[in-house]
Amino acid sequence: MNVAPSFDLSLLGAKPSKVAADYWDKVLEQYENKQYKEAIIGILRYVDEGLIEKTANEDLSRFVIPHGSAVIHLHIDEDRLLVEAPFLSTKDASQIPLLRQVAQINFSPLNLAKIILKDEQLVFHYTCPLILCEPYKMYELFREICFYADHYDDEFIQKFGASWLQKPVIHAFSPAEKKQAWENMQAYVEESFAYIEYFENKRSFSHAWDILALTLWKIEYYCDPQGIFRNELQKNIEAQQDNAPIIERVNRGKEYLRKIQQYDRAAFEADLYRTERFIPIKFRSTPENIRTNFEDAYQRAKAERDASDHLGATITLSSIFLKLFYYNHVEESIARPIEEALVQAGAKPWVKSSEILWQAMHRFMTPGSQTANGQKRKSFWSFLGFNR
C-alpha cells in the first residue's frame, strides 16, 4: 500500500446553487425593521428568486412549494405564520408502529416542527406569531421539514406500508450513469478492504478507520444516492464519528461495506436520481467559514509533512476535503480546484499525493500570499491549470 486511494470526479458534475447569498442581509434588515411578512418572503427570494412567481398567490400570503414527495404550504396572516407539509398517507399503513415511530421523532430529532396526523395524512406542522419569525429560525424550520421529509418518506413506506400523497418528480440517472455508479462503488469497497487489511496487519487501526470514513464519503460524493440507500449510508457515516472504541467502529464499518457488496443492484440503481428541492440538504459554505473549519486540519497536515508523515498528511487532507463536500454545497470556484487536486493525488505515492493536496490546501488558506521572491502567488484556480 505505497499509494494513496483512488478518487473520481462526481457523476453529477458541477451543482450550481440558486441561493442569492447577498440577499440575506436584506432579510435580516426587514426583520429588524418589523417587516415580518417581507422577511419571510425574503427568505424564499434568498433560497431561489424564482420561487415567488412559481408558488405564491396574488397577495403573497399563500405559498405552495414542492419538495420531493412533500408539499410545503406557507400561510402568512396578519400576525401569524402557519407552515404545513403533508408528505405521506397512512390509510393502508400499520398505524400503531408508524405512529409510535412518529412520536419518537417528534421528541428527537425534530426541534421546531412536529409531525401530526390529519385526515389520515402525516403532516409537518408549525405555527407562531410573525414577530417570532426570526430569519435564522425560519430557515432552519424549512430545512428541518425538507430534510426529514426526504429522510422518512421511503423508510415509512418500506417499514410501515405508508404511501406517497404525490410521487416526487425525479430525474433518473441514465443507464450508463447507473452502471458507472455501481461499478465505481464496488471498486471503492474492494479497494477499501485491501487498505483495511494492510493497516490491520500493522495494528494501525486508526488508519483502517480513516480508510473506512474516506470510502463512505467518496460513495456519497460520487453518486449522491437518495432514498433508502442514502439513509443507510448517512447512518453509517455518522456512526463512524461516535465515541465507540476504534476497533468496534472499524468492525462495524467493515460489516457495512460487506453489505454494500451484497446490495441488490436494482434497488441501488432505483435510488440514483435527482429531484426538485425547496431547501438544499447541505449547508451553504463561504470561503471564510471553510477556512475556519479547515484550520485544525491545515495545522495538523503541516506538522505531518514536517515530520515526513506523508501518509498521515494525505489522509488528513483527503478527509477534510471530502467532509467539506459531504456537509456543504460548495460553490464551483472553490470546489473545482479541490476536486482536481483529489483526482491528481489519487493512486500516487504518499509523498506525491500529500504534496498535491497540501498545495491545494495551502493556496486556499493563504489567498493572495506571496512567494519567497515577493511575487504574488497564482490564483487558487490557476495553480491547477484553470483559467478564468
Side-chain angles (χ1 to χ4, degrees), residues 74-102:
L74 307 185
H75 303 263
I76 307 174
D77 293 330
E78 185 175 339
D79 60 357
R80 196 166 191 86
L81 171 71
L82 171 65
V83 182
E84 290 195 322
F87 77 114
L88 286 174
S89 169
T90 65
K91 184 177 180 181
D92 299 314
S94 300
Q95 299 255 350
I96 293 177
L98 172 58
L99 295 180
R100 185 182 295 123
Q101 181 74 52
V102 167

Side-chain angles (χ1 to χ4, degrees), residues 76 123 272 326 351 360 362:
I76 307 174
V123 180
L272 296 178
Y326 179 70
V351 61
H362 183 62

Side-chain angles (χ1 to χ4, degrees), residues 88-92 95 116-123 163 165:
L88 286 174
S89 169
T90 65
K91 184 177 180 181
D92 299 314
Q95 299 255 350
I116 64 172
L117 182 64
K118 184 176 181 180
D119 300 327
E120 296 188 306
Q121 295 179 3
L122 292 180
V123 180
S163 57
L165 293 171

Side-chain angles (χ1 to χ4, degrees), residues 129-341:
L130 291 184
I131 194 173
L132 298 181
C133 291
E134 194 279 331
Y136 284 104
K137 183 177 80 171
M138 288 300 98
Y139 185 86
E140 181 56 30
L141 167 70
F142 298 150
R143 184 182 182 278
E144 180 179 82
I145 291 172
C146 292
F147 180 86
Y148 288 110
D150 281 343
H151 185 83
Y152 287 115
D153 59 353
D154 293 290
E155 182 175 323
F156 285 180
I157 289 169
Q158 184 183 79
K159 286 185 177 180
F160 306 117
S163 57
W164 278 315
L165 293 171
Q166 65 167 28
K167 286 192 175 183
V169 177
I170 66 172
H171 307 283
F173 285 24
S174 70
E177 288 173 325
K178 291 179 179 180
K179 179 176 183 292
Q180 193 65 58
W182 174 261
E183 292 176 352
N184 277 35
M185 179 176 71
Q186 296 300 335
Y188 292 153
V189 171
E190 185 177 348
E191 178 186 63
S192 179
F193 274 124
Y195 279 96
I196 292 167
E197 181 180 6
Y198 172 79
F199 287 125
E200 284 183 326
N201 288 339
K202 296 176 74 68
R203 310 301 294 173
S204 183
F205 294 103
S206 61
H207 285 331
W209 175 84
D210 289 328
I211 293 297
L212 274 164
L214 284 171
T215 301
L216 299 185
W217 282 326
K218 280 199 302 185
I219 291 171
E220 192 278 339
Y221 164 84
Y222 182 68
C223 59
D224 192 25
Q226 304 299 312
I228 294 296
F229 189 91
R230 183 178 191 87
N231 290 356
E232 293 178 355
L233 180 62
Q234 286 178 325
K235 181 175 70 175
N236 281 275
I237 287 174
E238 299 306 320
Q240 285 300 311
Q241 314 302 314
D242 66 20
N243 294 320
I246 197 161
I247 294 179
E248 180 182 329
R249 282 182 278 159
V250 169
N251 287 333
R252 282 195 319 230
K254 290 195 296 183
E255 182 179 350
Y256 178 58
L257 291 185
R258 284 190 285 269
K259 183 176 180 180
I260 289 177
Q261 285 183 316
Q262 299 163 9
Y263 205 86
D264 181 83
R265 180 169 177 172
F268 170 72
E269 292 184 352
D271 284 337
L272 296 178
Y273 57 83
R274 305 166 185 86
T275 187
E276 296 298 321
R277 300 185 184 281
F278 170 31
I279 302 294
I281 291 176
K282 300 187 179 185
F283 296 102
R284 186 180 69 84
S285 58
T286 66
E288 292 73 23
N289 64 38
I290 292 173
R291 288 189 185 98
T292 299
N293 292 332
F294 275 5
E295 184 61 34
D296 287 347
Y298 179 53
Q299 296 301 331
R300 183 165 63 252
K302 182 179 184 302
E304 288 164 337
R305 290 178 75 252
D306 290 345
S308 297
D309 181 7
H310 300 292
L311 185 156
T314 297
I315 288 177
T316 294
L317 294 167
S318 298
S319 296
I320 195 65
F321 287 155
L322 284 171
K323 198 171 183 179
L324 170 69
F325 292 129
Y326 179 70
Y327 287 106
N328 299 278
H329 177 92
V330 186
E331 62 183 67
E332 189 178 3
S333 61
I334 298 172
R336 188 174 177 187
I338 293 175
E339 291 169 325
E340 292 297 333

